[in-house]
Amino acid sequence: MKIAVLKEQADGERRVSATPETVKKFIALGATLAVEAGAGETASIADAAYSDAGASVGDRAATLAGADIVLGVQGPDPASLNGVTTGAWIVASLNPFAERARIEAYAAAGYEALAMEFMPRITRAQSMDILSSQSNLSGYKAVLDAAAEYGRAFPMMMTAAGTISAAKAFVMGVGVAGLQAIATARRLGAQVSATDVRAATREQIQSLGAKPIFVENVAGIEGEGTGGYAGEMSPEYQAAQAELVSGHIAKQDIVITTALIPGRAAPRLISAAQVASMKPGSVIVDLAVEQGGNVEGSVAGEVVVVNGVKIVGHRNVPSRLAADASALFSRNLFNFLNAFWDKDAGRPVLDAEIGDAIRLTQGGKIVNPRLLA
């Protein structure tokens, strides 16, 4: 069983899908590891570290030749996979809804594409969940990005020259990224508040020492989706939330938005009018900018200034913490393959619950129900 680890080709992608730590673990299972030269360079991992861990390091052709499993952070270009075994697994974050043509190309080439972002949110799959591991880092980095753009200090400071008030930070969307953003902003000394359409997050917000901001008296609208994600809000809830948020957001120095709905455009949480209500010098970080954005006026890959308010829209935020993001991502991949490793077969054998959830292509065609609907 040969596992290939590729150097990422997507623009701005600095992560790598395996580290020397996981290379050693794969080899202990009986696999042969091949790593493309330079694959870990942008994540601060030298080729020599992979060699020392027991992997062969070479060019792309040598890495792919006879590979049974290809690991990636983002899905590799199908045209660049010459030499891979027919029926080989492509294991990565494949962005199936936005990259349909690429998925079809995997099917046509006879590959079995496994989308790690489709991993079901069940207890036994928690250690395989790339969305959670990467979102955790995104929430942390969002606060640091806000602090870097904000022209003032976060904590209250009492000095001989007078007192500086603590920054007011508001987190919208309390999933993994939002919870980490709350915790990080609190550690930096900000006064933190947060909101979410899921009523169950109120206690989580309070447990981190932040103030929950929730729509009241809108019965039966919880915003609960499937798999731990938020669902779409009703018009009644949207109107009530907009009114509540408009009054609150005008008083904030920092706003971080994290709301995503799998397979759909990100919900609009902040309008241009709400941006205009904020004080000059305030900062908004839109973590959903690559899926259409939670903030009207946010631009992917840019920091724009609107009426003195900075709107931060960095792309691929986990990649901006490449070393740690790679360490967590690679462990997710190892945990996944290790959980299904069949010693007799010398390879992983998937079960129906997880296999059917993440498998996009098989036998030359697209098979995932979410892509066939």
Side-chain angles (χ1 to χ4, degrees), residues 196-200 214-224 231-241:
D196 195 286
V197 299
R198 296 167 298 162
F214 276 86
V215 172
E216 305 291 350
N217 303 319
V218 183
I221 301 172
E222 302 283 322
E224 301 287 359
E232 291 191 280
M233 296 177 286
S234 70
E236 295 86 355
Y237 195 102
Q238 287 177 323
Q241 187 190 51

Side-chain angles (χ1 to χ4, degrees), residues 50-341:
Y50 287 113
S51 297
D52 292 344
S56 63
V57 178
D59 61 20
R60 195 175 188 89
T63 300
L64 290 171
D68 301 293
I69 296 177
V70 177
L71 302 183
V73 175
Q74 298 192 42
D77 180 356
S80 73
L81 297 177
N82 295 331
V84 175
T85 302
T86 300
W89 290 4
I90 311 298
V91 184
S93 175
L94 300 179
N95 196 11
F97 298 112
E99 298 290 347
R100 179 66 181 235
R102 186 170 64 191
I103 304 308
E104 290 175 348
Y106 289 150
Y111 303 137
E112 191 165 324
L114 304 177
M116 290 297 292
E117 65 267 55
F118 276 14
M119 188 67 64
R121 287 198 161 177
I122 56 179
T123 300
R124 70 188 183 97
Q126 287 180 341
S127 67
M128 314 170 195
D129 186 356
I130 63 167
L131 294 181
S132 291
S133 73
Q134 302 303 289
S135 293
N136 200 14
L137 290 170
S138 292
Y140 165 78
K141 185 61 172 172
V143 176
L144 298 190
D145 287 338
E149 298 292 344
Y150 186 51
R152 300 178 181 177
F154 261 49
M156 181 180 73
M157 294 185 179
M158 301 179 68
T159 75
T163 299
I164 297 173
S165 298
K168 294 179 180 178
F170 182 39
V171 178
M172 303 184 72
V174 189
V176 175
L179 289 170
Q180 184 58 246
I182 292 169
T184 303
R186 285 275 296 159
R187 285 194 293 266
L188 289 180
Q191 295 181 24
V192 185
S193 56
T195 191
D196 195 286
V197 299
R198 296 167 298 162
T201 62
R202 181 190 294 268
E203 291 183 3
Q204 295 174 315
I205 294 168
Q206 293 173 321
S207 72
L208 291 173
K211 179 181 179 181
I213 305 295
F214 276 86
V215 172
E216 305 291 350
N217 303 319
V218 183
I221 301 172
E222 302 283 322
E224 301 287 359
T226 59
Y229 294 97
E232 291 191 280
M233 296 177 286
S234 70
E236 295 86 355
Y237 195 102
Q238 287 177 323
Q241 187 190 51
E243 182 179 356
L244 174 70
V245 167
S246 291
H248 189 69
I249 204 171
K251 306 171 186 176
Q252 304 304 302
D253 302 301
I254 306 293
V255 178
I256 295 170
T257 67
T258 72
L260 292 169
I261 300 173
R264 312 192 76 158
R268 183 56 49 83
L269 301 182
I270 299 179
S271 68
Q274 290 169 330
V275 173
S277 75
M278 297 181 72
K279 303 182 293 265
S282 302
V283 177
I284 303 173
V285 179
D286 188 348
L287 283 180
V289 68
E290 291 181 282
Q291 284 187 228
N294 296 144
V295 183
E296 186 173 1
S298 65
V299 179
E302 297 184 19
V303 177
V304 298
V305 181
V306 179
N307 297 324
V309 178
K310 291 184 178 180
I311 306 176
V312 180
H314 292 308
R315 295 181 183 272
N316 196 354
V317 174
S319 187
R320 303 179 70 239
L321 295 167
D324 287 337
S326 296
L328 296 180
F329 192 101
S330 62
R331 289 171 192 162
N332 290 145
L333 296 189
F334 173 78
N335 291 338
F336 162 58
L337 294 174
N338 178 57
F340 295 102
W341 198 272

